[in-house]
């Protein structure tokens, strides 16, 4: 989330970004849904079998891989991702835990 906000700030501040241009705010590294789900489960201490991988058949119309390329955004603004996927997941979990705490 922090990298996305920083990427959007970079676009807003850049004079070289034309209106309505498309840019990818991403790492450029592939992360499967399975790997992301396993990481979240591990960080939460949840058993992996709750994820039920393979319980639904693969939908053949879905692409196997989608990986964004941040190079165009980096050339236009100098922005580069600075937070690893793992650290980003940890931050989201921490914020979610804080938000779930009762307030007085």
């Amino acid at each position: 989330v922090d990298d996305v906000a920083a990427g959007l700030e970079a676009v807003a501040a850049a004079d070289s970004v034309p209106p309505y241009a498309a840019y990818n705010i991403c790492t450029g590294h592939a992360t499967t849904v399975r790997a992301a789900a396993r990481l979240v489960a591990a960080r939460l201490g949840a058993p992996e079998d709750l994820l039920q991988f393979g319980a639904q058949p693969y939908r053949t119309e879905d692409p196997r891989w989608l990986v964004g390329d941040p190079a165009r955004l980096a050339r236009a603004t100098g922005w580069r991702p600075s937070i690893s996927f793992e650290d980003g997941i940890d931050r989201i979990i921490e914020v979610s835990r804080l938000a779930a705490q009762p307030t007085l």
Side-chain angles (χ1 to χ4, degrees), residues 23-28 68-81:
Y23 292 88
N24 293 315
I25 298 177
C26 60
T27 64
D69 182 357
R72 183 175 181 206
L73 182 60
R75 284 191 304 272
T77 67
W79 178 86
R80 294 203 180 355

Side-chain angles (χ1 to χ4, degrees), residues 60-102:
T60 56
E61 67 274 9
D62 286 349
R64 284 287 204 191
W65 293 95
L66 292 175
V67 180
D69 182 357
R72 183 175 181 206
L73 182 60
R75 284 191 304 272
T77 67
W79 178 86
R80 294 203 180 355
S82 62
I83 299 167
S84 71
F85 180 75
E86 293 80 2
D87 287 344
I89 292 295
D90 290 340
R91 290 178 184 200
I92 290 170
I93 290 170
E94 179 62 24
V95 168
S96 298
R97 285 181 172 153
L98 290 172
Q101 291 178 356

